[in-house]
Amino acid sequence: MLYAFLTLLALFVGFTLFRTYLFSRRDSIKADLRHIPVNLDDAVKRLSKAIQFKTVSKQDANEVDGDEFKKMHAFLEKAFPEVHDKLGKEIINHYSLLFKWEGTNPDLKPMMLTCHLDVVPVEPGTEEDWDHPPFQGAITDEHIYGRGTMDVQSGVMAILEATEALLKQGFAPERTIYLGFGHDEEIDGEFGASEIGRILADRGIELEFLLDEGLPVVEELIEGIKSPVALVAVAEKGYLSLELSILTEGGHSSVPQGKTSIARLGDALHRLEENPLPAKFDGLVKSTFESLCSGMPFPLRYAFANLWMFKTPLRRFLTTIPATDAALRTTTATTIFESGVKENLIPTLAKAVVNFRIHPNDSVEGVIEHVRRVINDDDIKIEKLFGYIEPSSVSSVENQPYKQLSRSIRQIFPEVAVAPSLMVGATDARHYAAVSKNIYRFFPLRAEQSDLDRVHGTNERLSIENYGEMIQFYGRLVVNTSVSEPADKLNQVTMAFTEAKG
Ligand SMILES: [Zn+2]
């Protein structure tokens, strides 16, 4: 009996450890230091120039300075002569750009790279806090400063630098490549990316895959994971604000009649926050953690490798951390509450707005259903506010485009782990949903947690070394995904790269 028990125990330990071992292995993509010839000093000067155009998106479209976009178009034309000579160019809705690099094999589905030309404004009163003025494009020993260096003119410029360099080397893609640069991403992309997406759909184009800006290469993503993580967003959360309102009798506060509208709505809001939509540890989130497993300390690695045993405790643990909780479920946050005008008057009306970021497991209607059930008060009116967005579909992490994307990332950033993830905010990518099932959002920017405040904030900047990596990444991705013999083609366009980068 004891013998049988010990055998079983040994088998169990062996099995779970073996699974842990399997999860600990990293796929063996090696750094590939071949280098698409780009003069980094010149590229940095061109990026600095691009930063100087005030292509600022403002909520009020009348305040946007269209001339700045036109000046930027003219600058790009001078800066990238090969691109403008060999690629087709269309100007969409005055300020957005769509380039087409015709492939040699019309049987292959086209691919697309996108980023946006516009930037967010500098918050009035913070100009003085910048080490270098936000639209000067200052170049220091290590960095380029300015609005757009992280989000995301650096992306536009890096894509064009890589394209120009490949063209100069005579590179010809077999697959057609579109480059799309919208002009209003920061105010929802209604006239830029949305119009480009519509035009492509009208032309019957179906893309093999699309890469938009997105999440960066993050250092120290989770405590205990030593290597930086390249987060590739394969889905985007949806967005919904609901207005909840209740109308009651009101009256004088000296003779209250039952619960006031404030209290009833307060009860409902409390119930909603206490009963969020369920967190699920499956699908995308599971793939994220599986991809990160190899860099985790042993106990966590053991747990993730043996989810059949640890799923529930892990889910509970992850929901105690706000950032991972947001990845596991639709979040609920009350953002506005309005009621009452006078201290001795019971108000008739109480109103609140609750904002939801919808997980791809849920939907707008599903959330409304959940809210109705949880508040369980027919007197409370529920209305959806304008501007809601369904969550995106989840792009595959098993297909060729994802594998080639991961491969390209690891060739340029060899020390990173690549992990699929969920984007909490929205990008232009959603405007292309009709033309591709394989939509990925990743930006080859290295960011420490503290750098993330610079995006849309003060002292936005990019390291010159990282800009070199960006250009190489886009170039590598184009070669890896647009020809059938990327290794040979790479040899033709690269130089042996043995010394310092640059
Ligand atoms: Zn952006």
Side-chain angles (χ1 to χ4, degrees):
M1 187 64 196
L2 179 68
Y3 179 74
F5 173 73
L6 287 175
T7 310
L8 266 177
L9 185 68
L11 275 174
F12 171 80
V13 172
F15 171 71
T16 53
L17 284 176
F18 179 64
R19 285 192 60 90
T20 312
Y21 161 75
L22 286 181
F23 272 77
S24 308
R25 287 182 316 171
R26 223 3 132 66
D27 48 342
S28 59
I29 296 171
K30 294 229 168 61
D32 180 346
L33 300 177
R34 281 175 295 176
H35 183 222
I36 294 161
V38 174
N39 181 322
L40 187 56
D41 286 344
D42 291 346
V44 165
K45 283 183 203 140
R46 285 187 285 267
L47 174 58
S48 155
K49 182 82 188 140
I51 297 302
Q52 294 169 36
F53 300 104
K54 294 191 171 107
T55 54
V56 180
S57 265
K58 306 213 170 127
Q59 250 356 295
D60 180 354
N62 294 321
E63 278 182 41
V64 175
D65 187 349
D67 277 352
E68 291 291 315
F69 286 90
K70 292 196 169 147
K71 279 192 239 161
M72 184 162 180
H73 293 179
F75 160 69
L76 295 178
E77 212 168 320
K78 265 210 224 120
F80 303 108
E82 291 285 320
V83 169
H84 285 79
D85 186 35
K86 307 234 162 64
L87 271 59
K89 178 175 114 175
E90 288 175 82
I91 296 173
I92 313 290
N93 267 340
H94 310 294
Y95 311 125
S96 286
L97 295 172
L98 175 63
F99 291 95
K100 182 182 184 186
W101 192 357
E102 193 80 54
T104 55
N105 182 351
D107 294 337
L108 295 174
K109 280 195 230 163
M111 57 182 265
M112 184 161 186
L113 304 177
T114 59
C115 268
H116 55 91
L117 297 166
D118 61 320
V119 295
V120 292
V122 171
E123 194 188 330
T126 63
E127 294 88 347
E128 294 300 306
D129 301 335
W130 285 68
D131 295 340
H132 303 276
F135 293 100
Q136 184 184 291
I139 303 168
T140 65
D141 287 347
E142 282 179 31
H143 293 95
I144 311 150
Y145 276 78
R147 187 54 95 224
T149 50
M150 297 170 94
D151 184 9
V152 73
Q153 281 167 340
S154 51
V156 173
M157 293 299 284
I159 290 171
L160 289 170
E161 291 285 353
T163 309
E164 182 81 6
L166 288 170
L167 284 165
K168 276 188 186 151
Q169 301 303 315
F171 178 80
E174 289 162 30
R175 186 191 297 291
T176 292
I177 301 169
Y178 287 98
L179 310 177
F181 305 127
H183 69 272
D184 58 351
E185 192 270 352
E186 300 293 0
I187 43 172
D188 294 339
E190 268 320 299
F191 299 97
S194 141
E195 184 64 12
I196 300 175
R198 198 184 59 73
I199 287 171
L200 295 177
D202 283 354
R203 292 176 189 166
I205 288 159
E206 195 197 336
L207 300 170
E208 172 76 358
F209 78 98
L210 177 139
L211 178 70
D212 191 17
E213 60 155 335
L215 298 169
V217 176
V218 193
E219 313 272 345
E220 280 180 68
L221 176 69
I222 298 174
E223 234 186 272
I225 298 180
K226 283 173 216 86
S227 56
V229 181
L231 292 167
V232 177
V234 297
E236 224 169 78
K237 274 190 150 184
Y239 186 99
L240 171 69
S241 287
L242 293 179
E243 186 183 86
L244 273 48
S245 61
I246 182 164
L247 199 60
T248 57
E249 285 290 311
H252 198 276
S253 63
S254 56
V255 195
Q257 320 228 343
K259 269 196 177 176
T260 62
S261 47
I262 293 180
R264 277 188 57 192
L265 190 56
D267 280 349
L269 296 170
H270 178 70
R271 280 200 293 279
L272 266 185
E273 293 201 355
E274 290 290 294
N275 299 284
L277 284 102
K280 287 196 190 126
F281 190 78
D282 57 11
L284 173 54
V285 181
K286 200 164 143 251
S287 323
T288 306
F289 282 98
E290 281 171 359
S291 307
L292 295 176
C293 234
S294 65
M296 290 180 184
F298 177 78
L300 271 178
R301 211 160 65 212
Y302 184 78
F304 279 112
N306 294 287
L307 275 180
W308 54 280
M309 225 172 15
F310 293 108
K311 198 168 170 176
T312 306
L314 268 176
R315 192 191 60 223
R316 285 209 191 109
F317 167 67
L318 292 171
T319 55
T320 62
I321 307 166
T324 41
D325 184 55
L328 261 61
R329 70 164 101 237
T330 296
T331 53
T332 305
T334 306
T335 50
I336 298 176
F337 193 101
E338 280 174 9
S339 188
V341 285
K342 200 167 181 302
E343 67 186 77
N344 62 355
L345 209 64
I346 295 173
T348 52
L349 180 69
K351 279 200 299 194
V353 174
V354 186
N355 182 250
F356 300 88
R357 301 303 174 102
I358 309 171
H359 194 278
N361 286 336
D362 300 318
S363 65
V364 168
E365 279 314 308
V367 172
I368 295 174
E369 213 20 69
H370 170 88
V371 170
R372 196 164 282 134
R373 202 174 52 243
V374 168
I375 62 179
N376 191 25
D377 184 339
D378 291 340
D379 293 336
I380 294 178
K381 227 167 80 187
I382 303 169
E383 250 174 307
K384 31 179 203 226
L385 297 184
F386 183 72
Y388 57 89
I389 306 168
E390 290 286 356
S392 75
S393 60
V394 181
S395 300
S396 167
V397 295
E398 302 295 337
N399 57 10
Q400 269 307 95
Y402 183 82
K403 284 180 188 152
Q404 284 164 332
L405 174 59
S406 311
R407 185 181 192 80
S408 309
I409 295 171
R410 292 280 300 283
Q411 285 175 336
I412 306 298
F413 302 92
E415 78 287 14
V416 310
V418 178
S421 63
L422 174 64
M423 189 117 182
V424 180
T427 70
D428 267 347
R430 70 180 184 284
H431 297 301
Y432 297 97
V435 288
S436 190
K437 287 198 300 285
N438 304 320
I439 292 185
Y440 303 100
R441 305 151 192 85
F442 166 71
F443 190 48
L445 169 80
R446 286 181 187 271
E448 291 182 18
Q449 295 289 351
S450 59
D451 289 328
L452 296 175
D453 294 342
R454 298 174 191 272
V455 179
H456 290 203
T458 299
N459 280 323
E460 188 176 342
R461 69 177 190 188
L462 171 68
S463 90
I464 290 170
E465 192 183 353
N466 190 187
Y467 188 49
E469 291 172 320
M470 277 183 187
I471 299 168
Q472 293 300 321
F473 163 75
Y474 284 115
R476 188 61 64 95
L477 181 71
V478 164
V479 177
N480 282 345
T481 52
S482 72
V483 295
S484 42
E485 303 283 348
D488 293 351
K489 284 289 181 323
L490 205 55
N491 276 336
Q492 287 166 27
V493 295
T494 63
M495 307 188 294
F497 179 58
T498 45
E499 287 156 43
K501 290 175 188 172

